[in-house]
Amino acid sequence: MWLKAPVVIIGLGELGQVLATGFLKMGHPVFPLNRGASVAELLTLAVEPFLIVVAVGEKDLDGILMTLPDAFKNRVLLLQNNLLRPDWQKHQILSPTILVAWLDKKPGRPSVSVLPNKVFGPYCDEVAQALNALHIETYSYPIEDMDRAMVAKNLYIHTINIAGLRVGGTVGGLWNHHRALAEGIMKEILQIQRCRLGSPLDEALIIQDTLRGFAGDWNHICMGRSAPQRLANALKYAEGFHLDTPILREIAQEVGLSGRGSDACQ
């Protein structure tokens, strides 16, 4: 009996471990790549990988994508928060598989599925099967729905994290007691997302999707450990696009960050 083709996992954080388990359950050998290992060296062991799961954090993504051999660039699965098309297109990756993960998995805590996960791209069915094998509800979707899904998740995570820097608490507390703050942050983050993507967005539908995420877990803690860096990155984009983001700048000043912006992208 022939084994299925191997899956390479780059980054064995919480979600990387989940995917590794799912693919093992589907019969794929899994080759893990830990920090400091060579992508090229690992790929000599997995000569024809079925899929390369890039499960590193946002700040490490560019460095990994730059090292991928051209032959495997369209066999990648990306799952980072704040991911948009330009992030992979600048590395000449044309057709990645994208997992918009609504699974909240933190060390030492049980996982929470805020919403069903969404997968897009050439290996979407296989990724969905691997996660569903672990009873993690996941569905594949047509590529035309991908931008909306990515922006909605980006809007969700930025809104609750950045608001949490000011008011702390849970998503339910944020929406019930600080709704004006949440809506103001949403408006500014949507400006940034639209400029990053470089195309119009149906903001009403995206906000609707984001609020479904809120309702998926009202007890979700707003401020994760990445919140300050997420705010700093948002301000960097805002400045690059000459956007006015007064709420983000006010919160940045409150927590000791800085940022500025004016005018708007075309």
Side-chain angles (χ1 to χ4, degrees), residues 38-149:
S38 163
V39 175
E41 179 182 346
L42 183 61
L43 294 180
T44 64
L45 301 176
V47 179
E48 283 296 326
F50 172 72
L51 188 65
I52 301 173
V53 178
V54 182
V56 300
E58 298 160 49
K59 64 183 178 62
D60 297 320
L61 181 61
D62 274 341
I64 294 297
L65 295 186
M66 284 192 297
T67 67
L68 284 178
D70 290 342
F72 300 135
K73 281 189 173 180
N74 290 320
R75 297 190 197 180
V76 297
L77 170 66
L78 304 178
L79 46 80
Q80 288 69 26
N81 285 314
N82 205 27
L83 192 65
L84 289 176
R85 288 179 189 267
D87 297 324
W88 63 77
Q89 289 175 339
K90 66 183 177 182
H91 296 287
Q92 291 74 53
I93 296 173
L94 302 179
S95 300
T97 301
I98 302 298
L99 170 61
V100 178
W102 288 91
L103 176 70
D104 182 42
K105 183 72 174 71
K106 297 290 191 302
R109 298 202 316 227
S111 60
V112 175
S113 293
V114 177
L115 289 175
N117 301 305
K118 299 182 176 184
V119 199
F120 306 85
Y123 296 90
C124 62
D125 290 338
E126 291 84 356
V127 174
Q129 288 169 15
L131 290 171
N132 282 312
L134 302 176
H135 308 290
I136 298 171
E137 191 175 6
T138 307
Y139 300 98
S140 55
Y141 288 83
I143 204 73
E144 293 79 14
D145 297 335
M146 184 174 68
D147 289 340
R148 170 180 166 181

